[in-house]
């Protein structure tokens, strides 16, 4: 067999192995973006006196003086609600933060909009922790680049308390506490996404939604 023939026969194998590497890389990247960046632990309790009922519309009210935190979290719930077949209305869309509302006014507005429950969320602790990353040494164009080492990375952790309140009798249907954390690649948006998905899935798992 000539050298030219051997090379020609090896080309498909090279292409196949190269393709495998590319697909492997894409699959790993997809896994990272799908849930490996952040996770949420949640403990919850459902009021045993609550009579199960169909919930089709919910108000999300984030208790925070930071309007940016409120808007981003409430909008995240609104967007994710449609994935779980429930309408979630941000409190900022109904109640202007600069106005004062009596309890009666709040509940009357919700009844008029046919919103049956309020998901009340209170952000708790928030912290950034230093972590040690593996040392990586690279030679780029004759220059040695060293990354990683002690305290070279940062991870975020946040805590929340949540309550689901019945608009009709103002009783608490469900209460939970949650802690969300991520790896060094997770930002606030990734943690927020994890928390919202976990909350809705927990409500479904507990038989509330």
């Amino acid at each position: 067999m000539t050298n030219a023939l051997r090379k020609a026969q090896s080309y498909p194998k090279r292409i196949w192995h190269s393709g495998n590497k590319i697909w492997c890389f894409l699959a790993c990247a997809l896994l990272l973006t799908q849930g490996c960046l952040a996770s949420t632990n949640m403990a919850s309790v459902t009021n045993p006196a609550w009579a199960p009922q169909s919930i089709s519309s919910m108000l999300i009210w984030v208790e925070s003086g930071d309007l940016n935190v409120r808007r981003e979290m409430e909008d995240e719930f609104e967007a994710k609600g449609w994935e779980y077949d429930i309408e979630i209305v941000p409190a900022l869309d109904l109640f202007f933060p600069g106005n004062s509302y009596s309890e009666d006014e709040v509940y009357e507005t919700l009844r008029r909009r046919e919103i049956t429950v309020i998901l009340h969320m209170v952000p708790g602790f928030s912290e950034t922790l230093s972590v040690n990353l593996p040392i990586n040494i690279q030679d780029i164009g004759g220059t040695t680049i060293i990354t990683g080492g002690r305290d070279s990375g940062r991870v975020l952790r946040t805590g929340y308390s949540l309550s689901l309140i019945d608009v009709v009798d103002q009783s608490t249907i469900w209460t939970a506490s949650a802690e969300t954390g991520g790896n060094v690649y997770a930002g606030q948006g990734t943690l927020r996404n994890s928390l919202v998905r976990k909350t809705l899935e927990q409500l479904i798992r507990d038989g509330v939604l």
Side-chain angles (χ1 to χ4, degrees):
M1 184 181 294
T2 66
N3 289 336
L5 182 57
R6 290 193 186 95
K7 289 181 180 179
Q9 290 179 341
S10 71
Y11 286 155
K13 294 181 180 179
R14 292 177 185 175
I15 294 172
W16 186 83
H17 286 304
S18 177
N20 264 5
K21 290 179 181 178
I22 293 173
W23 280 112
C24 182
F25 172 79
L26 292 175
C28 290
L30 181 61
L31 285 173
L32 282 174
T33 57
Q34 288 295 312
C36 297
L37 297 181
S39 62
T40 298
N41 294 320
M42 180 174 289
S44 62
V45 177
T46 304
N47 186 347
W50 177 68
Q53 57 184 278
S54 176
I55 298 174
S56 60
S57 187
M58 172 193 301
L59 183 84
I60 171 65
W61 192 311
V62 177
E63 192 77 31
S64 174
D66 188 327
L67 284 179
N68 190 53
V69 170
R70 284 195 63 185
R71 174 52 73 189
E72 290 181 343
M73 185 66 79
E74 292 182 3
D75 284 354
E76 187 83 23
F77 267 99
E78 180 184 29
K80 292 294 186 296
W82 298 114
E83 299 179 19
Y84 294 86
D85 296 323
I86 181 170
E87 179 189 24
I88 301 180
V89 180
L92 279 173
D93 290 353
L94 296 184
F95 304 103
F96 179 64
N99 292 344
S100 296
Y101 301 90
S102 68
E103 188 174 284
D104 290 340
E105 287 176 318
V106 170
Y107 285 109
E108 178 56 33
T109 299
L110 298 182
R111 294 188 191 102
R112 191 167 58 249
R113 288 288 304 267
E114 298 183 345
I115 295 172
T116 56
V117 294
I118 302 170
L119 181 59
H120 183 226
M121 173 180 286
V122 181
F125 73 88
S126 179
E127 61 184 7
T128 303
L129 304 177
S130 298
V131 295
N132 303 328
L133 297 180
I135 295 177
N136 182 39
I137 302 175
Q138 292 180 301
D139 188 335
I140 302 177
T143 301
T144 301
I145 306 296
I146 302 176
T147 58
R150 184 177 180 84
D151 296 336
S152 57
R154 299 288 184 272
V155 296
L156 304 176
R157 291 177 63 245
T158 56
Y160 300 88
S161 60
L162 306 96
S163 297
L164 191 68
I165 302 167
D166 192 314
V167 170
V168 176
D169 60 10
Q170 291 89 63
S171 63
T172 299
I173 298 171
W174 176 89
T175 186
S177 59
E179 180 178 316
T180 300
N183 63 21
V184 293
Y185 304 105
Q188 291 290 353
T190 307
L191 269 62
R192 186 168 56 247
N193 183 15
S194 174
L195 173 68
V196 171
R197 287 191 180 278
K198 180 64 176 182
T199 300
L200 296 175
E201 290 170 1
Q202 191 79 11
L203 284 166
I204 293 172
R205 187 177 296 111
D206 290 345
V208 178
L209 294 182

